Amino acid sequence: MKKLVKNSVLAALGMSLAMSAAVVQAQDKKVLGVALPNLTNPYYVAMKKSFEENGAKQGFEVRVLIADNDDAKQLSQVQTMIQQGVNAVALNCVSSGPCVASVSELNQAKVPVFTINLLPDPAGLKAENLKVEQAVQTDQKAGGVYIGKQLLNDIGADGKAVIGIVGEPTSVAANARDDGFKEALASNPNVKFVALVNGKVEETTSLKVTTEMLQGNPDITVVYSDTEPSALGAIAAIQQLGRDDVKLYAFVDKLGVKHIEDNSILKAGAIQEPAKLAQIQVENIKKFLNGDKLEPIIDSPPLLINKDNAAETVDKAY
């Protein structure tokens, strides 16, 4: 009888220790808060999935909140994360200026903040002496350089090209893409830029302004677009005008990659990799929480897409 009692006590003690260990393990699990602008854009759907998958691999409990493109809502969500006691926050700003307030809240609460993709206004951060542990973003200029080099390769080192740009002049990212594209082509004196129109990152607007640009500049042989909506509008314009002599190079997403695979009008482009950005950020947040020192900014280059890799990339594109 005494033996049975002793065994029961030992069993109970073992179960209690196991439960205690499980509680400690649960308490030790770091919580990563992720603030994203929306899930209407496939870009952020891919980013959310990557945060969740890579967060799990790194041992995080990941909590994702979606702001529905509302700056005030994002600030409120960041405050909620602070109240929940998250260990770190990955912040993709809805817009740069108002996002400074979210960083301020996190700094005051001593919650390390890591920004991704669309970053808070640098001047605003500096003015309030705020700290971001690390920013991860796409190297937009590098993408333009890649596309420009591909065009040079396609036409030859001394080949001729008359180029019109369908851009978004008010966007810092789009302008960086354009600068990289021009820089890559500067070595060829036979390449000329003759027009810049504002596609407003809208397919219908880009169709209209590309049509007008080609009609006003019939010598154009290459159209460059710095966003996919502008590229899709440009494709429609080129087709409707019957300008088989005009080729397109552009920043693209999934639909653009499909057009590059077809390789009739759209010859090459660059694609951002939101899943890769999230993976880099999660891995570095883990390193930071383990005491490692991080570089303040990581510029991750986009992926060049051409006829050689379009088929294998189309299913991976967002």
Side-chain angles (χ1 to χ4, degrees):
M1 183 70 179
K2 287 182 179 180
K3 189 174 182 181
L4 284 174
V5 171
K6 185 178 179 181
N7 286 342
S8 298
V9 170
L10 289 173
L13 179 61
M15 186 177 295
S16 175
L17 289 171
M19 290 175 65
S20 297
V23 169
V24 170
Q25 188 175 12
Q27 289 175 341
D28 285 346
K29 194 167 190 178
K30 302 292 186 183
V31 180
L32 172 61
V34 178
L36 298 180
N38 64 69
L39 288 182
T40 56
N41 187 339
Y43 182 95
Y44 293 120
V45 174
M47 184 175 281
K48 175 179 181 288
K49 183 180 179 183
S50 180
F51 267 118
E52 291 169 339
E53 291 179 350
N54 286 288
K57 286 179 185 176
Q58 296 297 332
F60 287 112
E61 177 188 334
V62 180
R63 298 176 188 170
V64 182
L65 294 179
I66 309 301
D68 299 320
N69 294 325
D70 185 325
D71 292 301
K73 184 174 181 179
Q74 185 166 72
L75 176 59
S76 176
Q77 289 176 338
V78 166
Q79 291 168 336
T80 297
M81 290 179 185
I82 292 170
Q83 291 166 3
Q84 292 176 345
V86 298
N87 297 100
V89 168
L91 175 62
N92 190 136
C93 301
V94 170
S95 48
S96 295
C99 194
V100 172
S102 292
V103 177
S104 178
E105 291 280 332
L106 289 161
N107 277 195
Q108 289 177 45
K110 294 183 170 48
V111 176
V113 55
F114 301 78
T115 54
I116 187 168
N117 188 48
L118 183 63
L119 311 183
D121 175 48
L125 294 178
K126 186 176 181 181
E128 295 189 36
N129 196 29
L130 300 176
K131 185 177 184 182
V132 171
E133 301 300 340
Q134 186 178 71
V136 177
Q137 61 186 359
T138 299
D139 189 336
Q140 306 290 356
K141 186 176 181 180
V145 170
Y146 292 166
I147 299 172
K149 287 183 176 179
Q150 181 67 56
L151 174 57
L152 275 182
N153 183 67
D154 291 347
I155 65 174
D158 299 317
K160 295 181 179 180
V162 180
I163 303 174
I165 297 177
V166 186
E168 170 35 358
T170 64
S171 166
V172 173
N175 289 335
R177 294 171 177 183
D178 298 352
D179 290 344
F181 182 69
K182 292 174 182 177
E183 183 179 291
L185 294 163
S187 62
N188 186 339
N190 296 319
V191 172
K192 297 178 181 179
F193 291 88
V194 296
L196 167 64
V197 293
N198 189 352
K200 297 183 178 179
V201 200
E202 297 172 352
E203 188 172 342
T204 53
T205 300
S206 297
L207 167 58
K208 178 178 182 294
V209 298
T210 304
T211 299
E212 294 169 349
M213 180 178 70
L214 291 173
Q215 289 173 332
N217 300 272
D219 56 337
I220 285 178
T221 58
V222 172
V223 172
Y224 164 77
S225 297
D226 53 34
T227 66
E228 171 156 295
S230 291
L232 297 177
I235 289 171
I238 292 166
Q239 289 174 329
Q240 290 178 16
L241 291 172
R243 290 292 305 273
D244 296 337
D245 58 314
V246 177
K247 303 306 177 187
L248 177 65
Y249 292 76
F251 271 78
V252 295
D253 303 329
K254 184 180 281 290
L255 288 176
V257 175
K258 290 180 180 179
H259 279 284
I260 294 172
E261 185 180 10
D262 176 63
N263 215 243
S264 56
I265 295 174
L266 183 51
K267 309 304 288 185
I271 185 168
Q272 298 188 89
E273 298 184 275
K276 181 181 177 183
L277 294 183
Q279 179 183 353
I280 291 170
Q281 182 144 88
V282 169
E283 290 173 352
N284 285 344
I285 290 173
K286 178 75 170 183
K287 290 177 182 177
F288 175 85
L289 294 177
N290 285 339
D292 291 357
K293 188 175 181 180
L294 303 180
E295 294 293 326
I297 297 176
I298 290 183
D299 286 312
S300 179
L303 180 66
L304 176 69
I305 308 295
N306 55 31
K307 63 181 179 181
D308 296 328
N309 66 350
E312 66 190 49
T313 308
V314 68
D315 291 334
K316 302 174 186 175
Y318 61 90

